[in-house]
Amino acid sequence: MSDATASFLPLGAIIQSLYVADTNIVLGFPSQKAYESHNACFFGETIGRVANRVKGAKIDSLNGGQSYTLAANNGPNNLHGGVVGWGKKVWDGPKPVGVREIPAFEGKSDKIDGGESVQFTLMSEDGDEGFPGKVEARVIYTVSKEKGEDGKEKVLLGIEYEAELLDGEVEETVINMTNHSYFNLTGGPSIEGTIITLATNQYLPVDQGGIPTGGPVPYPNPAVKAGNVPFTLGAVEPDIDDCFVVNEDPSSVPIDTRSLPLKKNLSAFHPESKIHLEVYSTEPAFQFYTGKYIDIPAVDGVPARKPRSGFCLEPSRWVNACNVPEWKGQMLLKKGEKYGCKILYRAWRE
């Protein structure tokens, strides 16, 4: 891409870098080969067909009551699309698709002129990791810069996802795409000291396997007492890996959320680096993860990444919605329809 603020790879349509001044705020590797051999943590990947977990690695009922057995890669469950999910596949791209605007977002009513946009495309065959139907998926990245009222230059990375079910024997499938970037605003080995503000404290309680046991309730961890109240990440605590709910009415979530407003999911700031990050999305939920299980050795001149070297904010649909009748519509893609959503990263240094 002509703008060196961000870089992307065909493998997984990965976000390889996102620079604020001289600091790359996403974890990654310097080469695609290193991602192939060391990216068990999904750094920067485009996740699909279904982000997060599917209970028992099984879709209970689609296409007239038929069940589908998926690849089990997280204990008994399917995680992030399976053993070789979309983040582990090579996409076609990057293909320049002209200049696109950054849409208006919460707190800013005007669109922002975009930079050169690039598109990645993936053809996912019927039976891919067990999922039914042939699907064409697309992701478009748009990089731009904005001069704020404070005079600070802000970096913007817009993400737009689209998927459609192609002609074939099945009439419906399930889709839930997101990006799995890990953010580190410190420029150092740990996220300790980062101040986080989440838009909500409503979350989906889960069993030991990470599968929801019911609808949204207030988050029990005292560090996250209420939505929009800042808290600080320590060296070990709070340890968070949960799905927070922005839209508490699952029946109101369309399969294509792109016409909905971009709402702020997270604000983050580190007082030493002075770097800010905001994440907006059109999605009804987001997974917030503080990186407890990161364990990547030194590779290609990059130091080892250990627990809490990055945090994730993954906008998405409700976890395991494909197997809960009252939640299912938000993931259910029928022939002739399009799945879609938008995400926006906005970052700057004071």
Side-chain angles (χ1 to χ4, degrees):
M1 193 165 187
S2 61
D3 191 328
T5 300
S7 61
F8 314 101
L9 292 174
L11 177 67
I14 282 171
I15 298 175
Q16 184 182 24
S17 65
L18 179 60
Y19 277 90
V20 176
D22 59 352
T23 301
N24 180 13
I25 64 169
V26 297
L27 302 188
F29 303 95
S31 68
Q32 182 162 302
K33 184 177 180 180
Y35 282 91
E36 292 171 349
S37 58
H38 288 85
N39 200 20
C41 291
F42 311 97
F43 288 174
E45 291 184 4
T46 299
I47 303 297
R49 286 189 189 190
V50 172
N52 220 307
R53 293 165 177 85
V54 177
K55 182 179 180 180
K58 181 183 179 182
I59 300 173
D60 292 337
S61 178
L62 277 180
N63 296 298
Q66 185 172 345
S67 64
Y68 296 87
T69 299
L70 311 176
N73 63 324
N74 183 244
N77 303 318
N78 176 277
L79 175 66
H80 294 333
V83 178
V84 187
W86 288 358
K88 307 296 184 190
K89 297 180 184 294
V90 176
W91 293 54
D92 181 23
K95 175 186 175 183
V97 289
V99 175
R100 296 166 67 100
E101 293 178 321
I102 297 289
F105 50 89
E106 184 179 346
K108 189 171 182 64
S109 59
D110 299 325
K111 296 178 181 179
I112 298 171
D113 292 338
E116 177 185 315
S117 298
V118 295
Q119 176 177 282
F120 292 87
T121 305
L122 179 71
M123 199 68 69
S124 175
E125 298 295 333
D126 183 23
D128 184 5
E129 296 293 301
F131 289 94
K134 185 175 182 178
V135 170
E136 183 176 4
R138 290 172 287 276
V139 55
I140 296 175
Y141 293 117
T142 301
V143 178
S144 185
K145 292 183 179 179
E146 166 201 7
K147 186 74 75 172
E149 294 180 0
D150 56 4
K152 302 295 183 181
E153 185 177 73
K154 297 175 172 62
V155 174
L156 299 147
L157 174 56
I159 308 172
E160 180 174 346
Y161 294 119
E162 183 177 89
E164 55 188 322
L165 181 61
L166 303 182
D167 288 340
E169 295 182 1
V170 305
E171 295 297 320
E172 55 189 22
T173 189
V174 289
I175 302 287
N176 180 23
M177 299 175 68
T178 194
N179 183 269
H180 208 298
S181 286
Y182 288 76
F183 297 98
N184 181 319
L185 310 185
T186 73
S190 170
I191 56 176
E192 183 179 1
T194 305
I195 300 169
I196 299 291
T197 305
L198 301 180
T200 177
N201 76 327
Q202 295 294 305
Y203 91 116
L204 298 177
V206 295
D207 62 19
Q208 291 186 338
I211 301 298
T213 57
V217 298
Y219 198 67
N221 189 320
V224 190
K225 295 180 180 178
N228 291 309
V229 175
F231 60 94
T232 301
L233 300 179
V236 178
E237 298 289 341
D239 174 28
I240 304 172
D241 187 10
D242 287 294
C243 182
F244 291 82
V245 175
V246 179
N247 183 346
E248 298 181 42
D249 179 9
S251 66
S252 70
V253 181
I255 189 65
D256 188 346
T257 65
R258 288 177 292 180
S259 64
L260 301 179
L262 280 160
K263 292 186 176 182
K264 187 185 291 185
N265 295 163
L266 165 143
S267 297
F269 169 68
H270 199 275
E272 293 182 10
S273 70
K274 305 297 184 183
I275 292 177
H276 293 256
L277 169 70
E278 296 173 344
V279 180
Y280 301 80
S281 83
T282 59
E283 291 294 81
F286 58 83
Q287 188 83 8
F288 180 65
Y289 170 46
T290 51
K292 178 180 181 178
Y293 297 107
I294 301 172
D295 187 13
I296 304 293
V299 57
D300 283 0
V302 179
R305 270 66 66 89
K306 297 299 183 182
R308 296 177 80 83
S309 59
F311 65 85
C312 293
L313 193 289
E314 307 157 55
S316 63
R317 311 294 157 99
W318 293 22
V319 181
N320 194 45
C322 58
N323 284 326
V324 181
E326 296 82 8
W327 305 355
K328 191 174 182 178
Q330 61 189 282
M331 277 193 198
L332 187 64
L333 178 62
K334 298 180 180 180
K335 197 174 291 184
E337 297 179 340
K338 287 185 178 179
Y339 162 93
C341 71
K342 291 180 179 180
I343 299 170
L344 176 65
Y345 302 147
R346 185 178 187 235
W348 69 97
R349 173 174 278 156
E350 289 183 357

